[in-house]
């Protein structure tokens, strides 16, 4: 019936000034069984982020998420015919976040003019409520920025965003965590206080952090 089930990767690999290997899904449909020419057509579009930091911060990953929880990765169905552009439909259990893995780290440009480009491959989507990007540096610091403006991703087109200065701050505890610094591992006196379930206690002797 011309439909193909596939999975769009929710983790993509950084590549300099382009998208990473394995991120850009393409389709080709021949005219008939004798036709051997594969005219490949892109199924997705591209979000181009430009990030910089005056100190040349090194980035470990960049995550993109729509503020309306739009489905942008995972299970999908593609419909394509000869001479037609492919149409993607995301499945109900598709995911809402794409992570761009920067490997050992990518050092940012230091000015707006030489900002480093990060390309994310996305299915054709209208983010009516804008997007949120989360940047993590190699020290575990996090920078998050949201825009409420509509962002439109069109098939086979690049959507560039304005250069953004990034400054990753320290991590903060989750709602169910307590962080401490001590010369030895600290154990709670009463593990059932307030009716809470005691889950784990990890302490690093090298950093003195627990």
């Amino acid at each position: 019936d011309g439909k193909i089930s596939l999975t769009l990767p929710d983790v993509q690999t950084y590549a300099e000034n382009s998208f990473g290997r394995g991120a850009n899904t393409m389709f080709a449909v021949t005219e008939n069984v004798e036709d051997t020419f594969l005219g490949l057509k892109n199924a997705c579009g591209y979000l181009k982020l430009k990030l910089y930091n005056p100190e040349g911060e090194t980035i470990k990953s960049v995550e993109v998420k729509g503020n309306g929880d739009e489905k942008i990765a995972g299970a999908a169905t593609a419909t394509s015919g000869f001479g037609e552009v492919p149409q993607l439909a995301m499945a109900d259990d598709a995911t809402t976040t794409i992570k761009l893995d920067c490997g050992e780290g990518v050092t940012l440009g230091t000015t707006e003019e030489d900002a480093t480009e990060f390309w994310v491959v996305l299915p054709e989507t209208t983010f009516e409520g804008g997007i949120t990007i989360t940047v993590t540096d190699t020290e575990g610091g996090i920078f998050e920025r949201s825009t409420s403006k509509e962002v439109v991703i069109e098939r086979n087109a690049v959507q560039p965003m304005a250069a953004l200065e990034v400054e990753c701050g320290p991590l903060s505890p989750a709602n169910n965590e307590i962080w401490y610094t001590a010369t030895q591992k600290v154990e709670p006196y009463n593990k059932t206080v307030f009716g809470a379930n005691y889950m784990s206690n990890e302490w690093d002797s090298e950093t003195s952090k627990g």
Side-chain angles (χ1 to χ4, degrees):
D1 57 2
K3 293 184 178 180
I4 298 175
S5 296
L6 69 150
T7 301
L8 297 179
D10 59 359
V11 177
Q12 301 176 15
T13 304
Y14 168 83
E16 187 175 1
N17 298 326
S18 184
F19 48 81
R21 183 184 298 273
N24 190 45
T25 302
M26 307 174 75
F27 289 90
V29 179
T30 58
E31 184 175 12
N32 50 53
V33 292
E34 285 80 24
D35 183 7
T36 57
F37 177 75
L38 299 178
L40 288 161
K41 297 181 183 296
N42 293 322
C44 297
Y46 315 95
L47 179 70
K48 183 170 70 171
L49 305 170
K50 295 192 292 183
L51 309 179
Y52 69 98
N53 174 271
E55 304 300 323
E57 198 159 16
T58 302
I59 300 305
K60 185 70 173 175
S61 67
V62 179
E63 291 186 357
V64 175
K65 178 181 176 67
N67 295 335
D69 286 333
E70 291 84 358
K71 298 181 186 302
I72 55 176
T77 301
T79 304
S80 189
F82 177 71
E84 301 174 357
V85 298
Q87 302 292 325
L88 289 178
M90 304 306 297
D92 292 339
D93 60 347
T95 56
T96 59
T97 302
I98 290 178
K99 177 181 178 180
L100 188 63
D101 185 352
C102 299
E104 295 300 316
V106 175
T107 301
L108 299 181
T110 57
T111 66
E112 183 175 347
E113 290 71 25
D114 70 345
T116 304
E117 294 183 0
F118 294 84
W119 289 57
V120 181
V121 182
L122 293 163
E124 199 165 36
T125 309
T126 297
F127 299 102
E128 295 182 355
I131 62 174
T132 295
I133 68 166
T134 303
V135 181
T136 303
D137 67 15
T138 52
E139 301 299 321
I142 289 179
F143 171 87
E144 187 173 277
R145 180 62 58 86
S146 297
T147 174
S148 59
K149 294 183 179 179
E150 181 180 88
V151 177
V152 179
I153 303 298
E154 297 180 347
R155 190 200 70 83
N156 201 37
V158 179
Q159 174 59 59
M161 304 295 285
L164 182 63
E165 183 177 353
V166 169
E167 185 174 353
C168 294
L171 289 170
S172 58
N175 290 336
N176 64 340
E177 293 180 342
I178 295 175
W179 290 6
Y180 64 87
T181 301
T183 56
Q184 61 183 7
K185 189 173 184 178
V186 175
E187 291 290 350
Y189 174 73
N190 184 349
K191 296 183 179 181
T192 60
V193 68
F194 305 127
N197 294 320
Y198 180 78
M199 298 173 62
S200 65
N201 182 17
E202 298 178 2
W203 178 76
D204 189 336
S205 60
E206 293 183 2
T207 64
S208 299
K209 296 184 183 299

